[in-house]
């Protein structure tokens, strides 16, 4: 793969790393807040006196808001730029985390998680856009994986720090104290973040109200690469998201008889595996673009195989070695979902990157939301039979793989056509 910078490519460098790092720190805090319920699920059930279905509603509502906001946020990022959208996002998700800390009832807690989901929805697409504005295009896959890595570091903080804080100082001090991180990143963002480097301002693009919105969405959706990106994200992300966000801890404690400490260590293993695999996937795809689809489908296959082995294990308890392997494989789901953006990015011009990323990012969160709901309902219907409840994972995986296989040929042809066109254009650009 050529490392020649294309005409108009941003320079990258230390300044880019510093500015992009501020955006990533916002996403890092957003993920801490997003995943905080994963370590507090059993505490939330006791605090608000709710069953499994009602408990899953917390995460479902949060993800419903998140998924529903993706296209509007993509349009906002394309129109207003990164800094304004990230600022609004920080204010909303910090208010949501603070509200959750002091919620006296199930209803107010739900409203707080919805507010948090709304702010969280504004972070990742903004960070992707920031990366595309500050780094050369060839760095795109690695930059996306590093952003995902920062998110998993936030998940790690939730699992290790917030869980201990929760059981050490209690519900309100833990959640209220964590909300201070939002204030810190807001200050950094307002003082230091810039949308793009000097001399790389985007060309003015006419915005014409509803007509502009329809045009952006329709043009992005017409690209097979955008739709393929959505289905790759849909199929790969949700098994780990469901496990980390809500149902992993109850499954390990209630179904497998593990202590909360050991269960927390297994959740941490998922996160550590995610971080390690993310670095590998980012480097591989940056060097070999054709590895995207094999990596994505390989991850889906490995995840399905390990879930099947875990759920079908004949003994009363799944052996620890199998749980460890399951958690290591679940760690590859996040990095595989980042590959979805590597299909959508080359399929769309710069002025549509936010919108295309928003469409792609909906995929995994719609799948996660659907599975969170299905697991909760099935647990209540089967008297906490986790084998039946978690079997819903295979249904969504089958749907996603069928769509990936359907779209892959068209997306590959369009990408080759764009690459040929860009090379011809490069040849005619004067030095």
């Amino acid at each position: 793969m050529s490392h020649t910078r294309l005409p108009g490519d941003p320079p990258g460098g230390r300044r880019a790393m510093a500015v992009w790092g501020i955006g990533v720190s916002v996403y890092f805090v957003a993920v801490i807040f997003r995943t905080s319920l994963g370590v507090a699920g059993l505490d939330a059930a006791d605090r608000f006196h709710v069953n499994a279905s009602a408990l899953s509603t917390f995460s479902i509502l949060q993800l419903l808001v998140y998924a529903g906001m993706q296209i509007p946020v993509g349009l906002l990022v394309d129109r207003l730029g990164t800094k304004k959208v990230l600022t609004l996002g920080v204010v909303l998700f910090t208010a949501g985390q603070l509200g959750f800390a002091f919620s006296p009832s199930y209803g107010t807690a739900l409203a707080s998680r919805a507010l948090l989901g709304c702010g969280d929805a504004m972070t990742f697409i903004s960070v992707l856009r920031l990366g595309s504005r500050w780094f050369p295009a060839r760095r795109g896959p690695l930059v996306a994986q590093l952003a995902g890595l920062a998110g998993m570091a936030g998940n790690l903080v939730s699992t290790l720090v917030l869980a201990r804080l929760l059981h050490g100082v209690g519900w309100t001090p833990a959640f209220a104290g964590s909300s201070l991180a939002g204030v810190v990143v807001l200050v950094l963002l307002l003082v230091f973040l810039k949308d793009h480097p000097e001399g790389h301002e985007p060309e003015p693009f006419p915005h014409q109200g509803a007509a502009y919105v329809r045009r952006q969405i329709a043009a992005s959706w017409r690209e097979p690469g955008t739709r393929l990106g959505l289905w790759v994200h849909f199929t790969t992300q949700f098994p780990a998201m469901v496990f980390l966000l809500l149902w992993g801890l109850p499954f390990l404690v209630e179904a497998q008889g593990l202590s909360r400490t050991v269960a927390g260590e297994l959740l941490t293993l998922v996160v550590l595996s995610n971080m390690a695999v993310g670095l590998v996937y980012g480097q591989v795809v940056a060097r070999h673009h054709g590895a995207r689809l094999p990596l994505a489908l390989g991850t889906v296959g490995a995840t399905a195989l390990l879930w099947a082995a875990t759920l079908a294990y004949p003994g009363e308890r799944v052996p620890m070695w199998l749980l460890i392997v399951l958690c290591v494989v679940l760690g590859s789901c996040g990095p595989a979902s980042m590959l979805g953006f590597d299909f959508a990015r080359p399929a769309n011009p710069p002025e549509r990157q936010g919108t295309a990323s928003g469409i792609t990012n909906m995929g995994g969160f719609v799948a996660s939301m659907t599975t969170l709901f299905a697991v909760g309902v099935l647990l209540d219907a089967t008297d906490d039979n986790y084998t039946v409840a978690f079997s819903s994972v295979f249904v969504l995986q089958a749907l996603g793989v069928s769509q990936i296989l359907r779209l892959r040929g068209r997306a590959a042809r369009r990408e080759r056509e764009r690459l040929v066109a860009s090379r011809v254009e490069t040849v005619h650009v004067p030095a």
Side-chain angles (χ1 to χ4, degrees):
M1 188 174 195
S2 171
H3 282 196
T4 306
R5 200 152 57 85
L6 295 174
D9 250 1
R14 291 182 182 177
R15 176 83 195 284
M17 283 299 297
V19 174
W20 181 74
I22 294 167
V24 167
S25 69
V26 173
Y27 178 56
F28 170 76
V29 173
V31 174
I32 295 175
F33 292 1
R34 179 202 302 169
T35 57
S36 57
L37 188 61
V39 296
L42 297 175
D43 301 83
D46 292 338
R47 181 179 175 87
F48 300 114
H49 311 292
V50 293
N51 61 13
S53 296
L55 182 60
S56 68
T57 304
F58 276 122
S59 295
I60 290 165
L61 178 64
Q62 188 178 330
L63 292 182
L64 179 64
V65 171
Y66 187 105
M69 287 287 292
Q70 288 310 292
I71 292 177
V73 167
L75 289 162
L76 280 175
V77 171
D78 284 338
R79 183 163 188 170
L80 301 178
T82 302
K83 186 168 185 172
K84 290 176 182 175
V85 177
L86 271 182
T87 301
L88 180 58
V90 175
V91 171
L92 291 175
F93 70 60
T94 303
Q97 185 78 341
L98 195 60
F100 196 58
F102 292 100
S103 292
S105 66
Y106 178 66
T108 52
L110 272 180
S112 297
R113 294 309 283 187
L115 192 62
L116 193 157
C118 189
D120 181 20
M122 298 182 175
T123 57
F124 188 66
I125 293 174
S126 297
V127 171
L128 285 180
R129 166 68 173 255
L130 198 64
S132 69
R133 289 295 188 197
W134 280 90
F135 293 97
R138 66 185 173 83
R139 296 288 186 200
L142 186 57
V143 167
Q145 289 290 353
L146 289 173
L149 194 66
M152 292 316 294
N155 203 325
L156 194 61
V157 169
S158 265
T159 307
L160 295 177
V161 180
L162 195 60
R164 285 177 172 80
L165 204 59
L166 189 65
H167 299 125
V169 301
W171 180 281
T172 299
F175 281 101
S178 68
S179 67
L180 292 174
V183 177
V184 172
V185 293
L186 178 61
V187 172
L188 288 172
L189 167 64
L190 291 173
V191 175
F192 296 111
L193 193 128
K194 286 192 67 176
D195 280 356
H196 45 72
E198 290 82 358
H200 289 270
E201 293 80 3
E203 290 183 19
F205 193 75
H207 305 302
Q208 297 167 354
Y212 160 76
V213 170
R214 287 194 299 271
R215 196 164 53 246
Q216 285 284 90
I217 295 171
S220 296
W221 184 255
R222 273 196 302 271
E223 291 293 341
T226 305
R227 283 175 280 143
L228 180 59
L230 179 146
W231 284 108
V232 167
H233 200 271
F234 177 100
T235 315
T236 52
Q237 187 202 47
F238 79 94
M241 176 73 78
V242 167
F243 197 79
L244 288 170
L245 201 59
L246 187 61
W247 292 123
L249 192 71
F251 167 71
L252 295 170
V253 173
E254 295 175 354
Q256 300 305 316
L258 301 179
S259 68
R260 281 184 179 229
T261 302
V262 174
E265 288 169 353
L266 285 172
L267 294 180
T268 304
L269 179 61
V270 178
V271 177
L272 292 173
S273 170
N274 185 304
M275 296 172 79
V277 174
L279 286 173
V280 174
Y281 278 19
Q283 292 285 358
V284 169
V285 175
R287 288 171 168 77
H288 308 286
H289 220 45
R292 292 169 300 171
L293 205 57
L295 284 175
L297 291 174
T299 301
V300 174
T303 305
L305 181 64
L306 265 297
W307 260 125
T310 301
L311 298 178
Y313 192 79
E316 187 179 342
R317 295 276 190 262
V318 177
M320 180 57 72
W321 68 265
L322 184 52
L323 291 175
I324 288 172
V325 176
L326 172 68
C327 289
V328 169
V329 171
L330 283 175
S332 65
C333 292
S337 72
M338 294 294 106
L339 299 172
F341 299 101
D342 292 325
F343 290 102
R345 189 185 305 109
N348 291 274
E351 65 270 13
R352 285 208 311 265
Q353 289 295 321
T355 306
S357 295
I359 292 171
T360 300
N361 209 28
M362 281 179 64
F365 291 94
V366 168
S368 297
M369 182 174 57
T370 304
T371 311
L372 282 168
F373 178 72
V375 170
V377 169
L378 289 169
L379 284 175
D380 285 340
T382 60
D383 196 23
D384 291 343
N385 187 324
Y386 280 90
T387 300
V388 173
F390 276 127
S391 294
S392 56
V393 167
F394 304 121
V395 178
L396 273 77
Q397 284 184 320
L399 170 64
V401 168
S402 69
Q403 295 300 312
I404 290 170
L405 296 177
R406 184 177 70 84
L407 289 163
R408 62 178 178 170
R410 272 179 280 174
R413 282 193 299 275
R414 284 286 289 149
E415 196 167 301
R416 281 194 300 270
E417 289 166 8
R418 280 186 178 275
L419 187 59
V420 169
S422 69
R423 283 175 176 167
V424 170
E425 186 179 319
T426 302
V427 167
H428 289 93
V429 170

